[in-house]
Amino acid sequence: MIAFLCGLVIQVDLGSCVVDVNGVGYLVAASTRTLAALPSPPEKARILIETVVREDAILLYGFSESAEREWFRLLTGVQGVGAKVALGILSALSAGELVAALTTSDKASLMRAPGVGARLAERILTELRDKAGKMPGNKGGFTVPVMATPVGSIEADALMALAGLGFRRMEAAPVVRRVMEANGPDATLDTVLRDSLKDLAR
């Protein structure tokens, strides 16, 4: 199995690149995030690789950092998420945004990725929510603890109201939790919404 490639990036296309290692050109599929991190051809680069062996092909998937490769492995373990869809998700969301989306049940963010509909997004949330806290959220290995939002609670109602105002759940959730902690048991929906909007508007 190939763990990484170190060679000249001689071509970068939409969804893939070609790496020349000692005269052999390897076609590597990658997310737009990884492709954007590559140097301009022809420059030397080191790309982490996940090798997928099929009956009809040996496919190479490249990553600029180990966190993205770990997420690729986890995502492709979900039924209905193939390599192409996983790369689409990793193109739409960084490792940190994935952690946030899963821990806050932000289905809308997952659906930004091509090929991810409501049903598949729900399956990803269901299968990976409990694993998100153990996954790296960025280059420093940041993780977000898993916290559920009780249905019908002030927090859930506030998040729903903010979503209706155009705020993404992953950016609104930490603000709402912070406001609720600050207000303690006296927190009301009106207070939480007002203070959260002030914070988000900064």
Side-chain angles (χ1 to χ4, degrees):
M1 303 294 282
I2 300 174
F4 68 89
L5 293 176
C6 189
L8 287 176
V9 177
I10 61 171
Q11 183 177 327
V12 177
D13 298 314
L14 184 63
S16 67
C17 65
V18 176
V19 183
D20 182 340
V21 181
N22 297 324
V24 179
Y26 292 89
L27 178 63
V28 180
S31 69
T32 55
R33 201 173 301 276
T34 285
L35 294 173
L38 293 176
S40 300
E43 297 254 350
K44 193 172 183 179
R46 182 176 180 272
I47 305 175
L48 300 175
I49 296 294
E50 181 72 5
T51 307
V52 176
V53 180
R54 299 192 326 203
E55 290 184 5
D56 59 342
I58 298 177
L59 304 172
L60 303 180
Y61 297 93
F63 309 93
S64 61
E65 56 185 51
S66 59
E68 190 184 35
R69 182 168 62 179
E70 288 182 53
W71 274 107
F72 177 83
R73 292 169 176 169
L74 194 63
L75 287 165
T76 52
V78 176
Q79 182 183 358
V81 180
K84 184 177 180 180
V85 171
L87 288 181
I89 294 172
L90 293 169
S91 294
L93 301 168
S94 67
E97 289 173 328
L98 261 174
V99 172
L102 290 171
T103 55
T104 59
S105 298
D106 187 358
K107 187 163 65 173
S109 287
L110 291 174
M111 291 172 63
R112 286 163 43 200
V116 180
R119 186 175 298 178
L120 183 55
E122 187 62 44
R123 187 181 302 142
I124 293 170
L125 289 174
T126 300
E127 294 190 23
L128 302 186
R129 185 181 292 116
D130 293 339
K131 300 177 182 178
K134 300 175 184 177
M135 293 295 290
N138 58 24
K139 293 181 180 178
F142 169 74
T143 58
V144 176
V146 177
M147 292 183 287
T149 303
V151 177
S153 65
I154 290 176
E155 183 178 354
D157 290 344
L159 288 172
M160 187 177 298
L162 289 169
L165 293 172
F167 292 99
R168 291 167 55 195
R169 188 182 178 96
M170 69 170 57
E171 66 177 340
V175 173
V176 169
R177 288 201 176 106
R178 188 162 58 245
V179 169
M180 290 192 66
E181 288 173 4
N183 282 275
D186 296 327
T188 64
L189 179 58
D190 288 343
T191 301
V192 171
L193 272 176
R194 184 184 67 245
D195 292 351
S196 296
L197 283 169
K198 285 181 183 178
D199 195 313
L200 289 164
R202 290 175 186 171

